[in-house]
Amino acid sequence: MKSLSVLGALAALCLAGCTPDLPTDIASVFIEAPPSTGPSMKLFVELPVSGLRIPVITTALVKAESVLNTEVVEAGPQDMRQVFLLVQVDRKSGADIMHYTAEAAGKQLVLVVNETAVGIMRIESQIVDGNLLFHVEQKGLSNRAAATELSKRLNSSILKIRKLQEREGQ
């Protein structure tokens, strides 16, 4: 489930004898598979706390190199605010998300880090801005603490991925 282009860049750097500061957390976003999806085109992921099992399409909708930033935010009606991990993606992935979510109301997006499902986002309507709000789970942590810890880890890896991309582009 990892992003092939990031892994390819890492392999190339290692073969070239470089020892770059490697990202430790590779994040990708997957979309829930429709019931008609064949067994070879979907796999099941399970959230660590709720145990919710979700069938997802095997190809990531958003790959690690397309994630630009994460932050912890509160959203929802004033009397029912909830904590989310905001994941912001680049223009290309934003366009892909807009395309795929146009008719995906009721389905879910799943945030996967290092091949482990860590967050879920229900698609209420078409997503047009490339901003994804995930409920995140981590055993032993509150929702806010899990989102804060994950945001720090992912932002660190995002910077490392950008540096690798810059080296690859030289």
Side-chain angles (χ1 to χ4, degrees):
M1 286 193 323
K2 288 188 180 180
S3 173
L4 292 179
S5 44
V6 169
L7 292 176
L10 294 174
L13 286 169
C14 289
L15 288 174
C18 296
T19 55
D21 190 15
L22 300 177
T24 55
D25 297 292
I26 305 296
S28 302
V29 176
F30 292 81
I31 191 164
E32 182 178 354
S36 61
T37 305
S40 65
M41 295 301 295
K42 69 180 173 185
L43 60 96
F44 285 86
V45 296
E46 185 173 334
L47 291 167
V49 177
S50 65
L52 183 64
R53 282 179 42 93
I54 303 163
V56 296
I57 295 176
T58 56
T59 304
L61 181 58
V62 177
K63 295 179 180 176
E65 59 269 19
S66 297
V67 178
L68 300 176
N69 183 50
T70 69
E71 49 185 275
V72 178
V73 299
E74 288 187 20
Q78 189 62 34
D79 58 339
M80 298 185 339
R81 310 268 308 158
Q82 295 182 21
V83 176
F84 296 93
L85 178 67
L86 170 64
V87 175
Q88 298 172 309
V89 301
D90 66 15
R91 182 174 288 160
K92 183 197 175 307
S93 287
D96 290 343
I97 290 167
M98 187 168 67
H99 171 77
Y100 283 103
T101 61
E103 296 182 25
K107 296 229 177 285
Q108 300 173 95
L109 295 176
V110 179
L111 178 62
V112 174
V113 176
N114 300 337
E115 299 187 12
T116 301
V118 296
I120 189 168
M121 176 185 173
R122 184 169 179 79
I123 302 168
E124 301 294 337
S125 61
Q126 184 178 29
I127 301 167
V128 297
D129 60 4
N131 291 321
L132 308 174
L133 294 174
F134 288 97
H135 285 280
V136 295
E137 298 182 358
Q138 185 174 337
K139 287 185 179 181
L141 295 178
S142 69
N143 183 262
R144 179 179 299 279
T148 301
E149 189 266 336
L150 185 58
S151 180
K152 287 178 187 174
R153 289 183 15 224
L154 290 179
N155 284 335
S156 173
S157 287
I158 289 166
L159 290 174
K160 292 174 184 179
I161 290 169
R162 285 189 190 146
K163 287 179 183 177
L164 287 171
Q165 288 175 318
E166 288 171 4
R167 277 192 188 150
E168 191 177 85
Q170 291 177 346

